[in-house]
Amino acid sequence: MTEPGTNPDQTEKSRLERLAKSAFLGRIGHEFRTPLNSILGFTQLLQQDSATSLSINQQKKIDNIEKAGWHLLQLVNDLLDLTSIENETVEIHIATLMVDASISSSIELIDPLARQRNITVSTEVDKNDDELYVRADPTRLKQVLLNLLTNAIKYNKDGGQVNVSGELSKPDTVRITVSDTGSGIAENEQAAIFEPFTRGSTSLHPDGTGIGLTLVMELVTLMGGNVGLTSRLGEGSSFWIELPRAKKHEMNNFEETENVAGVDLFLNESIKQDLILYIEDSPLHTQLVNEIISKMKGAKMASASTPQRGLELAQALRPNLILLDLCLPEMDGYAVLKCLLQDRNTMNIPVIALSANAMPEDIEKALRSGFRRFITKPIDVKKFERALVELLIDEGATKRV
Ligand code: ADP
């Protein structure tokens, strides 16, 4: 139904414009991520080699290149998120989440960052009134908490403290507060820091872009909540978000934490010369992945630079795992996957999508189509290795049944 006073043609036109803008931004994101994959991938490999071949001075320079690469990637991701929120093309999938678990899984991710600066992170979740649950999108809630936690560390002093608490602020509202002992924010700047690209004058850090808090506010609002802060200069800040409370019985089967425990233990015995086929048209990306796989014990790689050759090799070699670039000439990754799934000889081989397209809708589409995992370029080498090992172990287990 159209709202009174709006012209249906106009509404349709602006919807199409928004979709076109979103597709254009997705394309730009892809164009940034593709070269970043080489920059970050090869610097990570150089760092792994560094003990033997690089001087300390050279290692520091590589470190700086890597840091700048991840920073640029973060900036691209934040800008894309912000624009898809503005274009109203962002998708929010609300689920019932346990507050305690959401907080702990986010803290786990920032723990290394806190340790580097000797910062203690503690939690305090009110359990007087049964477990606390909220209604929120799990990925987006994690993104919000990570943004607040990263800031609480970034703008803190060495040896400082961060506390995350969860409590009922109203009978049907849960408040999560991230407090720090950092520089604090002047009162007259507190409202403005939620505006895009605005930064406080008393808390500056080289790794900042001024988009994080804007995203926090927009995402929490989209999930039906509010944000706010209290802060005193020189003493610290407390950023809070409020989300609708949920009841335990509304809990669905969503598994929030990735189960990766034990992977290293199985690494040696489970991968016995497993063959991974990589179908990719970029020689640089093929070289990068080949170097990563050649360092994994018991795994080897074959590669194909065209979809046709990839399908032939899949038939002939029956690899244990296929890595498939989505953006291939003549036939895209989805068409290749379809051929693999239709063929009795290849239909059971797990296929991982590798792509520089990283919009949530790209990932959902790929998983719906039958890809077992979606790995975004630039590749995080450790996560990439872990995904390969997990799938190879699964695959081995399925074959043994
Ligand atoms: P960024 O950290 O990338 O600059 P944000 O949007 O996350 O961008 O934050 C905007 C500004 O708010 C920061 O530049 C900083 O000046 C201030 N700020 C955010 N969080 C804190 C904090 N915990 N303590 C002090 N200042 C903060």
Side-chain angles (χ1 to χ4, degrees):
M1 208 173 86
T2 315
E3 280 178 34
T6 54
N7 172 346
D9 286 347
Q10 204 55 40
T11 314
E12 179 60 6
K13 190 168 165 239
S14 52
R15 190 183 71 85
L16 291 176
E17 274 172 8
R18 279 203 303 268
L19 288 179
K21 205 168 156 194
S22 178
F24 172 70
L25 282 161
R27 177 96 207 135
I28 300 262
H30 180 276
E31 297 309 317
F32 272 99
R33 288 171 156 271
T34 305
L36 270 173
N37 188 43
S38 295
I39 297 174
L40 281 168
F42 286 114
T43 41
Q44 288 174 84
L45 286 180
L46 269 176
Q47 274 171 331
Q48 288 181 352
D49 286 346
S50 59
T52 48
S53 46
L54 294 181
S55 70
I56 295 196
N57 196 346
Q58 286 168 323
Q59 282 175 33
K60 275 194 190 141
K61 287 178 185 151
I62 298 280
D63 252 12
N64 288 339
I65 299 175
E66 196 199 341
K67 269 194 205 131
W70 288 119
H71 181 55
L72 184 56
L73 179 65
Q74 183 64 45
L75 180 61
V76 172
N77 288 345
D78 283 356
L79 277 174
L80 287 176
D81 269 345
L82 196 59
T83 330
S84 48
I85 291 171
E86 276 170 4
N87 283 340
E88 297 169 28
T89 47
V90 68
E91 287 185 24
I92 297 282
H93 302 283
I94 298 290
T96 297
L97 307 173
M98 199 191 270
V99 173
D100 215 358
S102 304
I103 293 176
S104 327
S105 64
S106 302
I107 289 183
E108 240 169 61
L109 294 177
I110 53 93
D111 194 48
L113 203 65
R115 277 168 196 262
Q116 275 172 17
R117 309 257 328 271
N118 238 343
I119 291 173
T120 323
V121 184
S122 55
T123 55
E124 218 176 293
V125 176
D126 184 4
K127 293 202 173 144
N128 286 336
D129 192 22
D130 197 9
E131 295 282 4
L132 278 185
Y133 294 87
V134 282
R135 291 189 53 69
D137 178 314
T139 313
R140 298 307 188 175
L141 177 57
K142 195 175 248 178
Q143 186 178 0
V144 163
L145 292 177
L146 283 178
N147 259 319
L148 295 179
L149 282 163
T150 319
N151 280 350
I153 293 168
K154 201 159 79 175
Y155 299 108
N156 216 322
K157 55 186 179 218
D158 288 349
Q161 275 142 30
V162 173
N163 181 266
V164 191
S165 65
E167 71 208 325
L168 278 183
S169 56
K170 290 183 213 131
D172 54 358
T173 309
V174 173
R175 179 180 282 208
I176 301 176
T177 309
V178 179
S179 308
D180 63 64
T181 52
S183 52
I185 303 153
E187 209 171 330
N188 60 347
E189 292 181 348
Q190 289 179 11
I193 54 168
F194 288 94
E195 300 290 328
F197 307 107
T198 311
R199 311 190 65 199
S201 60
T202 49
S203 42
L204 282 173
H205 190 281
D207 281 350
T209 49
I211 312 181
L213 285 178
T214 315
L215 277 177
V216 165
M217 191 176 71
E218 298 281 3
L219 289 172
V220 172
T221 309
L222 279 174
M223 293 190 283
N226 300 302
V227 300
L229 87 144
T230 52
S231 182
R232 284 174 81 91
L233 261 187
E235 287 181 22
S237 312
S238 293
F239 283 83
W240 54 260
I241 61 168
E242 282 184 335
L243 290 166
R245 182 189 191 189
K247 294 276 160 54
K248 184 177 185 173
H249 64 262
E250 293 162 9
M251 186 91 178
N252 52 19
N253 287 329
F254 183 81
E255 257 196 63
E256 215 194 339
T257 46
E258 300 158 46
N259 179 14
V260 291
V263 164
D264 288 344
L265 279 179
F266 291 113
L267 198 69
N268 295 339
E269 46 178 289
S270 296
I271 304 179
K272 294 204 180 76
Q273 285 300 310
D274 281 329
L275 178 64
I276 299 171
L277 171 65
Y278 185 23
I279 309 176
E280 164 70 79
D281 60 329
S282 152
L284 261 184
H285 293 186
T286 307
Q287 187 193 337
L288 171 66
V289 169
N290 189 28
E291 290 205 23
I292 298 173
I293 292 176
S294 64
K295 290 201 169 82
M296 289 172 62
K297 288 197 189 84
K300 56 187 177 185
M301 187 184 106
S303 67
S305 61
T306 62
Q308 210 44 51
R309 179 81 185 130
L311 288 169
E312 282 165 18
L313 286 185
Q315 273 273 354
L317 304 173
R318 311 270 173 89
N320 304 77
L321 185 69
I322 296 176
L323 297 168
L324 181 53
D325 179 34
L326 289 187
C327 220
L328 288 164
E330 288 157 29
M331 192 179 180
D332 71 7
Y334 289 97
V336 177
L337 178 73
K338 205 164 158 204
C339 296
L340 290 168
L341 291 175
Q342 278 168 354
D343 185 327
R344 252 188 325 133
N345 294 321
T346 52
M347 66 194 328
N348 292 322
I349 303 174
V351 186
I352 297 184
L354 259 154
S355 173
N357 287 328
M359 304 291 260
E361 55 270 26
D362 297 319
I363 299 174
E364 268 168 38
K365 181 179 165 200
L367 296 178
R368 260 201 323 270
S369 308
F371 283 101
R372 295 280 287 277
R373 296 279 170 96
F374 189 103
I375 292 182
T376 52
K377 296 173 187 169
I379 292 172
D380 177 320
V381 175
K382 290 224 168 71
K383 280 193 192 153
F384 178 68
E385 286 172 345
R386 204 184 295 154
L388 297 190
V389 170
E390 280 178 339
L391 274 185
L392 287 171
I393 289 173
D394 272 5
E395 156 68 347
T398 321
K399 273 191 183 158
R400 280 194 291 274
V401 172

